[in-house]
Amino acid sequence: YNATAQSNAKVFEFKYKKDDRYRILSKVNEEVFINNILNNNSEIINRITVHITDVKPDGSGIHESNFMTSDTSTGSISGSHLTWNEEYNSIYERDKHGKFTIDSSYFMPVIRDMPVFPERPIEKGDSWTANGYEAHDLRKTFSIKKPVTVPFTAFYTYNGEETQSDGRKFDVFTVSYNLYFDTPTPENPAILRSPYPAVTTGFSQQTLYWDYEKGAVDHYKENFKITIISSDGTLYKFKGTTEAEITQFTRSNDDFESVQQQIKHLQLENVLVTENEKGLTISLENIQFKPDSAILEDSEKEKLQKIAAILKNYPNNDLLVTGHTA
């Protein structure tokens, strides 16, 4: 949190930590039109799991992600249902400001380089722009094997803090962008023999709810429309809404920092907290006994009681107690 007494401005950054894991549930309700005639309604459910496998010195996080997508479409005339499921895996790097580094072969995530935050502190009412792009999976529609990328410039406004009905507090941003992209004529003659997306237009309007402590988007809502004109003149239109939220978030050193803070608050001397593959270790050094005996000094018993009170905050954790004596 970067603020002064004269300003409520904050620096917003993604705060990746190694072994962060989280799950996202995304729901899309979409209408699909072909030549302005409603073809089908779709409900698309995305279940996303993300593991931050490493964090670079500059704060960039290496993401290993799995996307399980279920699309249920209902024909507007026939009323027939068609469901298809697909699973995607992606590995990508994202810096602390939000910029992606990702191989062109990955189809997910669809929206990239959004949100992107400026390096400067921002305060309520501030606005800025940043470039991003969408990666469209058009294998079913146009048999294109790689994602079709469509660039955009997003316009951001920081609306300030908002407290939800459950008491949680978030920083709220509105984000909007327009799409217009003329696809370069494909060099591959085989592609030219089949329809391909010649012009892509559209817009997105989103409201993002940011968890400042975690340094991540907690949930968002979106209205969108995408129009694709194919090379044979067919008009495809997709419009609808999206809602997404983090349903589970675990940070391996959350407990580590919490225990450290509690020990500092209780002013426990000669107590060290470390973290390794086994979990957290609380080490008591220079333990004082009564002279020539195995009886602890009263001050040490009090120290143990305070540590026991800390451990009661973690009733689901296994405890391993070890020690040695002279």
Side-chain angles (χ1 to χ4, degrees), residues 111-143:
I111 301 176
R112 302 168 186 183
D113 296 352
M114 200 196 84
V116 168
F117 297 108
E119 295 185 17
R120 62 177 174 83
I122 61 176
E123 54 188 328
K124 184 177 179 179
D126 281 357
S127 298
W128 69 96
T129 60
N131 293 329
Y133 66 101
E134 294 187 358
H136 295 169
D137 183 356
L138 300 180
R139 288 175 294 177
K140 289 196 304 177
T141 309
F142 295 103
S143 300

Side-chain angles (χ1 to χ4, degrees), residues 82-320:
L82 175 64
T83 299
W84 62 269
N85 299 283
E86 187 134 14
E87 185 171 353
Y88 306 85
N89 290 299
S90 296
I91 300 175
Y92 54 90
E93 179 181 329
R94 195 173 190 185
D95 70 20
K96 62 183 180 180
H97 303 297
K99 284 285 189 179
F100 278 71
T101 301
I102 183 170
D103 188 85
S104 62
S105 63
Y106 291 120
F107 288 94
M108 291 290 187
V110 173
I111 301 176
R112 302 168 186 183
D113 296 352
M114 200 196 84
V116 168
F117 297 108
E119 295 185 17
R120 62 177 174 83
I122 61 176
E123 54 188 328
K124 184 177 179 179
D126 281 357
S127 298
W128 69 96
T129 60
N131 293 329
Y133 66 101
E134 294 187 358
H136 295 169
D137 183 356
L138 300 180
R139 288 175 294 177
K140 289 196 304 177
T141 309
F142 295 103
S143 300
I144 297 176
K145 294 182 178 180
K146 284 192 174 183
V148 175
T149 57
V150 181
F152 60 76
T153 299
F155 182 82
Y156 296 82
T157 300
Y158 175 42
N159 298 331
E161 295 182 352
E162 180 180 304
T163 301
Q164 306 278 282
S165 58
D166 59 5
R168 294 188 300 164
K169 184 179 290 185
F170 297 107
D171 295 284
V172 182
F173 301 86
T174 53
V175 190
S176 62
Y177 59 84
N178 294 315
L179 297 171
Y180 186 90
F181 183 65
D182 282 312
T183 305
T185 302
E187 298 179 0
N188 187 342
I191 296 178
L192 289 172
R193 288 194 290 268
S194 302
Y196 65 89
V199 179
T200 302
T201 63
F203 70 85
S204 171
Q205 298 172 334
Q206 298 189 18
T207 303
L208 306 178
Y209 296 83
W210 180 263
D211 187 318
Y212 194 86
E213 183 179 347
K214 290 187 176 73
V217 174
D218 182 84
H219 60 286
Y220 72 87
K221 301 176 181 179
E222 177 192 23
N223 294 308
F224 68 89
K225 182 172 74 172
I226 298 171
T227 300
I228 299 174
I229 303 174
S230 72
S231 56
D232 65 357
T234 305
L235 180 68
Y236 298 88
K237 188 182 296 180
F238 310 84
K239 67 176 184 177
T241 61
T242 304
E243 292 187 357
E245 65 175 336
I246 291 181
T247 57
Q248 181 181 351
F249 183 97
T250 57
R251 173 157 282 168
S252 63
N253 58 357
D254 273 353
D255 290 348
F256 173 72
E257 293 178 355
S258 175
V259 171
Q260 269 196 326
Q261 289 298 318
Q262 291 178 74
I263 287 175
K264 182 178 179 181
H265 175 71
L266 294 172
Q267 298 180 330
L268 298 179
E269 296 181 355
N270 299 314
V271 177
L272 179 66
V273 183
T274 57
E275 186 177 28
N276 55 35
E277 67 279 359
K278 291 182 179 180
L280 299 184
T281 299
I282 303 176
S283 301
L284 284 72
E285 306 293 338
N286 194 28
I287 302 174
Q288 300 298 310
F289 292 85
K290 295 185 182 298
D292 299 319
S293 79
I295 301 173
L296 287 170
E297 294 281 2
D298 290 343
S299 60
E300 300 299 304
K301 291 180 180 179
E302 182 180 353
K303 184 186 296 184
L304 287 173
Q305 289 169 352
K306 290 181 178 179
I307 291 174
I310 294 173
L311 295 177
K312 284 181 179 180
N313 294 319
Y314 308 94
N316 296 321
N317 288 29
D318 294 326
L319 298 181
L320 172 65

Side-chain angles (χ1 to χ4, degrees), residues 14-69:
F14 286 86
K15 300 174 184 177
Y16 309 115
K17 293 192 177 181
K18 186 176 180 180
D19 285 328
D20 279 358
R21 296 176 187 268
Y22 56 94
R23 298 178 184 272
I24 301 170
L25 179 64
S26 167
K27 297 180 181 180
V28 180
N29 288 295
E30 179 181 75
E31 293 179 319
V32 181
F33 296 82
I34 299 179
N35 292 328
N36 290 320
I37 298 174
L38 180 63
N39 183 72
N40 63 275
N41 293 279
S42 291
E43 182 182 65
I44 304 169
I45 306 296
N46 291 300
R47 296 174 176 85
I48 307 162
T49 60
V50 182
H51 177 205
I52 306 299
T53 58
D54 199 9
V55 178
K56 293 188 172 182
D58 65 359
S60 299
I62 308 301
H63 297 61
E64 289 190 3
S65 304
N66 176 264
F67 299 77
M68 297 181 67
T69 298

